[in-house]
Amino acid sequence: NSNANATVFQRKTGIILALDVTDEASALEITSEVSGLIDAVKIGYPLVLGTGLQIASKLSKYAPVIADFKVADIPNTDRLICEHVFKAGCAAIIVQGFTGPDSLTECVKTADEFGGKVFVVSEMSHPGGDHFFTDDVSKEIAALAKKSDAFGIVAPATRPERVKELRAVIGGDLKIISPGVGAQGGSAADTIKAGADWVIVGRSIYNAENPRDEAMKVKVEIEKLI
Ligand code: C5P
């Protein structure tokens, strides 16, 4: 097992960088620029298909890595995917919850074997995200995440009222990470106020002329709340 898996998520700035660039040089450059200002870096298909999964161990030198593969399969396939992700040095994985309790339990069990964490998507953050993930469905998924001993859920910063409702469902034990701040219009302060532990920020940081300045702005916005 990689040592990176032992990393415990600690909230310092409240920011997770969504690193959806597609080449290794930019990925490493941007992450090193903002290191210290982010608590974790989230990678997904764009970067991993562009560079390979070995990017995870390179990035984990700067911050714990969350693999956003929105895993959604039968338990056996889920386990095989999770094993690759944690062996590669990721500290957490994002999975779908609509696949049901057995799939979710298998992901959590596999993550535990590696000292890793599971975040469950309760609702997507884009405009169409609440088409199928209606209020009730999102809440049911959040409740299932809690029952399955997931580490946290993913809830939309574009709908802070939903973050608040989902926080009420899961109580204080699970973490909430919220994408949709910046490029998709969500506000970091409103999202944290609604009950999120971390905001996930992608384009508005990695496309900025100065990513470090941009990350600093978000950090200050969150700090003002305390
Ligand atoms: O660039 P932007 O800040 O909009 O990035 C948001 C990130 O969060 C993207 O990586 C997107 O895939 C991801 N995400 C999301 N909504 C979810 C889950 C993940 O926007 N529910």
mmCIF file of all heavy atoms in Angstrom, residues 74-100:
data_model
loop_
_atom_site.group_PDB
_atom_site.id
_atom_site.type_symbol
_atom_site.label_atom_id
_atom_site.label_comp_id
_atom_site.label_asym_id
_atom_site.label_seq_id
_atom_site.Cartn_x
_atom_site.Cartn_y
_atom_site.Cartn_z
ATOM 1 N N ILE A 74 -21.511 -3.083 -10.650
ATOM 2 C CA ILE A 74 -21.821 -4.166 -9.722
ATOM 3 C C ILE A 74 -20.687 -4.255 -8.694
ATOM 4 O O ILE A 74 -19.576 -3.783 -8.955
ATOM 5 C CB ILE A 74 -21.982 -5.517 -10.464
ATOM 6 C CG1 ILE A 74 -20.689 -5.884 -11.213
ATOM 7 C CG2 ILE A 74 -23.169 -5.458 -11.431
ATOM 8 C CD1 ILE A 74 -20.650 -7.326 -11.705
ATOM 9 N N PRO A 75 -20.953 -4.847 -7.545
ATOM 10 C CA PRO A 75 -19.935 -4.851 -6.487
ATOM 11 C C PRO A 75 -18.569 -5.369 -6.942
ATOM 12 O O PRO A 75 -17.538 -4.760 -6.621
ATOM 13 C CB PRO A 75 -20.557 -5.768 -5.417
ATOM 14 C CG PRO A 75 -22.029 -5.580 -5.596
ATOM 15 C CD PRO A 75 -22.236 -5.423 -7.076
ATOM 16 N N ASN A 76 -18.521 -6.463 -7.677
ATOM 17 C CA ASN A 76 -17.215 -7.022 -8.066
ATOM 18 C C ASN A 76 -16.405 -6.044 -8.915
ATOM 19 O O ASN A 76 -15.216 -5.845 -8.692
ATOM 20 C CB ASN A 76 -17.407 -8.347 -8.819
ATOM 21 C CG ASN A 76 -16.072 -9.008 -9.110
ATOM 22 O OD1 ASN A 76 -15.339 -9.364 -8.192
ATOM 23 N ND2 ASN A 76 -15.731 -9.114 -10.384
ATOM 24 N N THR A 77 -17.067 -5.415 -9.881
ATOM 25 C CA THR A 77 -16.370 -4.448 -10.741
ATOM 26 C C THR A 77 -15.961 -3.221 -9.928
ATOM 27 O O THR A 77 -14.846 -2.700 -10.086
ATOM 28 C CB THR A 77 -17.271 -4.061 -11.933
ATOM 29 O OG1 THR A 77 -17.732 -5.258 -12.553
ATOM 30 C CG2 THR A 77 -16.541 -3.213 -12.940
ATOM 31 N N ASP A 78 -16.840 -2.785 -9.057
ATOM 32 C CA ASP A 78 -16.517 -1.641 -8.186
ATOM 33 C C ASP A 78 -15.253 -1.925 -7.377
ATOM 34 O O ASP A 78 -14.379 -1.072 -7.236
ATOM 35 C CB ASP A 78 -17.663 -1.377 -7.193
ATOM 36 C CG ASP A 78 -18.845 -0.673 -7.848
ATOM 37 O OD1 ASP A 78 -18.707 -0.211 -9.003
ATOM 38 O OD2 ASP A 78 -19.892 -0.585 -7.204
ATOM 39 N N ARG A 79 -15.176 -3.157 -6.847
ATOM 40 C CA ARG A 79 -14.012 -3.513 -6.021
ATOM 41 C C ARG A 79 -12.730 -3.456 -6.842
ATOM 42 O O ARG A 79 -11.713 -2.904 -6.407
ATOM 43 C CB ARG A 79 -14.195 -4.916 -5.421
ATOM 44 C CG ARG A 79 -13.015 -5.377 -4.566
ATOM 45 C CD ARG A 79 -13.293 -6.706 -3.870
ATOM 46 N NE ARG A 79 -13.770 -7.737 -4.779
ATOM 47 C CZ ARG A 79 -13.005 -8.428 -5.614
ATOM 48 N NH1 ARG A 79 -11.706 -8.213 -5.645
ATOM 49 N NH2 ARG A 79 -13.522 -9.322 -6.432
ATOM 50 N N LEU A 80 -12.781 -3.968 -8.064
ATOM 51 C CA LEU A 80 -11.591 -3.967 -8.919
ATOM 52 C C LEU A 80 -11.140 -2.538 -9.230
ATOM 53 O O LEU A 80 -9.941 -2.228 -9.231
ATOM 54 C CB LEU A 80 -11.875 -4.746 -10.218
ATOM 55 C CG LEU A 80 -12.150 -6.250 -10.020
ATOM 56 C CD1 LEU A 80 -12.675 -6.866 -11.310
ATOM 57 C CD2 LEU A 80 -10.904 -6.977 -9.527
ATOM 58 N N ILE A 81 -12.123 -1.669 -9.460
ATOM 59 C CA ILE A 81 -11.793 -0.261 -9.744
ATOM 60 C C ILE A 81 -11.174 0.389 -8.507
ATOM 61 O O ILE A 81 -10.125 1.050 -8.579
ATOM 62 C CB ILE A 81 -13.056 0.524 -10.185
ATOM 63 C CG1 ILE A 81 -13.600 -0.037 -11.509
ATOM 64 C CG2 ILE A 81 -12.763 2.019 -10.298
ATOM 65 C CD1 ILE A 81 -14.992 0.466 -11.891
ATOM 66 N N CYS A 82 -11.814 0.173 -7.364
ATOM 67 C CA CYS A 82 -11.315 0.781 -6.111
ATOM 68 C C CYS A 82 -9.901 0.306 -5.803
ATOM 69 O O CYS A 82 -9.049 1.097 -5.379
ATOM 70 C CB CYS A 82 -12.242 0.458 -4.938
ATOM 71 S SG CYS A 82 -13.816 1.338 -5.016
ATOM 72 N N GLU A 83 -9.635 -0.976 -6.018
ATOM 73 C CA GLU A 83 -8.290 -1.498 -5.730
ATOM 74 C C GLU A 83 -7.227 -0.775 -6.556
ATOM 75 O O GLU A 83 -6.189 -0.374 -6.041
ATOM 76 C CB GLU A 83 -8.237 -3.008 -6.012
ATOM 77 C CG GLU A 83 -8.884 -3.819 -4.905
ATOM 78 C CD GLU A 83 -8.965 -5.318 -5.216
ATOM 79 O OE1 GLU A 83 -8.544 -5.735 -6.321
ATOM 80 O OE2 GLU A 83 -9.473 -6.051 -4.363
ATOM 81 N N HIS A 84 -7.501 -0.578 -7.839
ATOM 82 C CA HIS A 84 -6.540 0.144 -8.688
ATOM 83 C C HIS A 84 -6.294 1.550 -8.163
ATOM 84 O O HIS A 84 -5.160 2.022 -8.102
ATOM 85 C CB HIS A 84 -7.075 0.254 -10.126
ATOM 86 C CG HIS A 84 -6.725 -0.924 -10.970
ATOM 87 N ND1 HIS A 84 -5.428 -1.273 -11.258
ATOM 88 C CD2 HIS A 84 -7.501 -1.831 -11.594
ATOM 89 C CE1 HIS A 84 -5.419 -2.343 -12.022
ATOM 90 N NE2 HIS A 84 -6.669 -2.712 -12.237
ATOM 91 N N VAL A 85 -7.377 2.211 -7.824
ATOM 92 C CA VAL A 85 -7.304 3.609 -7.400
ATOM 93 C C VAL A 85 -6.477 3.751 -6.120
ATOM 94 O O VAL A 85 -5.597 4.615 -6.021
ATOM 95 C CB VAL A 85 -8.745 4.157 -7.213
ATOM 96 C CG1 VAL A 85 -8.758 5.407 -6.353
ATOM 97 C CG2 VAL A 85 -9.366 4.434 -8.583
ATOM 98 N N PHE A 86 -6.730 2.882 -5.149
ATOM 99 C CA PHE A 86 -5.999 3.021 -3.875
ATOM 100 C C PHE A 86 -4.552 2.543 -4.003
ATOM 101 O O PHE A 86 -3.652 3.106 -3.395
ATOM 102 C CB PHE A 86 -6.758 2.332 -2.743
ATOM 103 C CG PHE A 86 -8.034 3.067 -2.401
ATOM 104 C CD1 PHE A 86 -9.271 2.489 -2.616
ATOM 105 C CD2 PHE A 86 -7.980 4.359 -1.916
ATOM 106 C CE1 PHE A 86 -10.437 3.181 -2.330
ATOM 107 C CE2 PHE A 86 -9.138 5.073 -1.629
ATOM 108 C CZ PHE A 86 -10.384 4.477 -1.836
ATOM 109 N N LYS A 87 -4.344 1.511 -4.810
ATOM 110 C CA LYS A 87 -2.965 1.054 -5.033
ATOM 111 C C LYS A 87 -2.140 2.147 -5.715
ATOM 112 O O LYS A 87 -0.932 2.230 -5.538
ATOM 113 C CB LYS A 87 -2.941 -0.210 -5.902
ATOM 114 C CG LYS A 87 -3.179 -1.479 -5.097
ATOM 115 C CD LYS A 87 -3.114 -2.702 -5.981
ATOM 116 C CE LYS A 87 -3.602 -3.929 -5.235
ATOM 117 N NZ LYS A 87 -3.991 -5.024 -6.157
ATOM 118 N N ALA A 88 -2.799 2.976 -6.505
ATOM 119 C CA ALA A 88 -2.092 4.050 -7.219
ATOM 120 C C ALA A 88 -1.765 5.228 -6.309
ATOM 121 O O ALA A 88 -1.116 6.179 -6.737
ATOM 122 C CB ALA A 88 -2.930 4.526 -8.399
ATOM 123 N N GLY A 89 -2.227 5.174 -5.064
ATOM 124 C CA GLY A 89 -1.866 6.236 -4.128
ATOM 125 C C GLY A 89 -2.951 7.263 -3.862
ATOM 126 O O GLY A 89 -2.699 8.271 -3.201
ATOM 127 N N CYS A 90 -4.172 7.015 -4.360
ATOM 128 C CA CYS A 90 -5.260 7.954 -4.060
ATOM 129 C C CYS A 90 -5.707 7.763 -2.615
ATOM 130 O O CYS A 90 -5.627 6.668 -2.063
ATOM 131 C CB CYS A 90 -6.445 7.730 -4.996
ATOM 132 S SG CYS A 90 -6.028 8.066 -6.715
ATOM 133 N N ALA A 91 -6.159 8.857 -2.034
ATOM 134 C CA ALA A 91 -6.602 8.809 -0.637
ATOM 135 C C ALA A 91 -8.105 8.592 -0.539
ATOM 136 O O ALA A 91 -8.616 8.195 0.498
ATOM 137 C CB ALA A 91 -6.220 10.103 0.061
ATOM 138 N N ALA A 92 -8.821 8.892 -1.634
ATOM 139 C CA ALA A 92 -10.281 8.747 -1.618
ATOM 140 C C ALA A 92 -10.798 8.533 -3.026
ATOM 141 O O ALA A 92 -10.112 8.839 -4.010
ATOM 142 C CB ALA A 92 -10.931 9.992 -1.012
ATOM 143 N N ILE A 93 -12.013 8.018 -3.085
ATOM 144 C CA ILE A 93 -12.664 7.805 -4.378
ATOM 145 C C ILE A 93 -14.095 8.327 -4.295
ATOM 146 O O ILE A 93 -14.716 8.269 -3.222
ATOM 147 C CB ILE A 93 -12.615 6.301 -4.769
ATOM 148 C CG1 ILE A 93 -13.093 6.090 -6.211
ATOM 149 C CG2 ILE A 93 -13.446 5.436 -3.807
ATOM 150 C CD1 ILE A 93 -12.691 4.730 -6.780
ATOM 151 N N ILE A 94 -14.580 8.864 -5.409
ATOM 152 C CA ILE A 94 -15.983 9.294 -5.476
ATOM 153 C C ILE A 94 -16.767 8.234 -6.239
ATOM 154 O O ILE A 94 -16.364 7.821 -7.336
ATOM 155 C CB ILE A 94 -16.112 10.671 -6.163
ATOM 156 C CG1 ILE A 94 -15.404 11.744 -5.316
ATOM 157 C CG2 ILE A 94 -17.581 11.031 -6.376
ATOM 158 C CD1 ILE A 94 -15.407 13.141 -5.923
ATOM 159 N N VAL A 95 -17.859 7.791 -5.639
ATOM 160 C CA VAL A 95 -18.685 6.749 -6.265
ATOM 161 C C VAL A 95 -20.136 7.226 -6.337
ATOM 162 O O VAL A 95 -20.533 8.131 -5.606
ATOM 163 C CB VAL A 95 -18.606 5.415 -5.477
ATOM 164 C CG1 VAL A 95 -17.156 5.008 -5.232
ATOM 165 C CG2 VAL A 95 -19.354 5.483 -4.152
ATOM 166 N N GLN A 96 -20.908 6.599 -7.211
ATOM 167 C CA GLN A 96 -22.344 6.886 -7.267
ATOM 168 C C GLN A 96 -23.064 6.086 -6.189
ATOM 169 O O GLN A 96 -22.615 5.000 -5.810
ATOM 170 C CB GLN A 96 -22.911 6.524 -8.642
ATOM 171 C CG GLN A 96 -22.443 7.398 -9.781
ATOM 172 C CD GLN A 96 -23.060 8.797 -9.786
ATOM 173 O OE1 GLN A 96 -23.732 9.221 -8.837
ATOM 174 N NE2 GLN A 96 -22.818 9.541 -10.847
ATOM 175 N N GLY A 97 -24.173 6.619 -5.731
ATOM 176 C CA GLY A 97 -24.938 5.918 -4.705
ATOM 177 C C GLY A 97 -26.152 5.197 -5.257
ATOM 178 O O GLY A 97 -26.717 4.313 -4.617
ATOM 179 N N PHE A 98 -26.553 5.565 -6.483
ATOM 180 C CA PHE A 98 -27.793 4.995 -7.030
ATOM 181 C C PHE A 98 -27.670 3.512 -7.354
ATOM 182 O O PHE A 98 -28.657 2.853 -7.654
ATOM 183 C CB PHE A 98 -28.272 5.780 -8.264
ATOM 184 C CG PHE A 98 -27.333 5.762 -9.439
ATOM 185 C CD1 PHE A 98 -27.200 4.629 -10.226
ATOM 186 C CD2 PHE A 98 -26.598 6.893 -9.773
ATOM 187 C CE1 PHE A 98 -26.342 4.608 -11.320
ATOM 188 C CE2 PHE A 98 -25.738 6.892 -10.857
ATOM 189 C CZ PHE A 98 -25.608 5.747 -11.627
ATOM 190 N N THR A 99 -26.444 3.000 -7.316
ATOM 191 C CA THR A 99 -26.218 1.585 -7.605
ATOM 192 C C THR A 99 -26.722 0.691 -6.471
ATOM 193 O O THR A 99 -26.841 -0.515 -6.646
ATOM 194 C CB THR A 99 -24.716 1.329 -7.813
ATOM 195 O OG1 THR A 99 -24.013 1.984 -6.751
ATOM 196 C CG2 THR A 99 -24.237 1.901 -9.129
ATOM 197 N N GLY A 100 -26.974 1.296 -5.301
ATOM 198 C CA GLY A 100 -27.581 0.527 -4.219
ATOM 199 C C GLY A 100 -26.620 0.082 -3.140
ATOM 200 O O GLY A 100 -25.404 0.233 -3.268
#
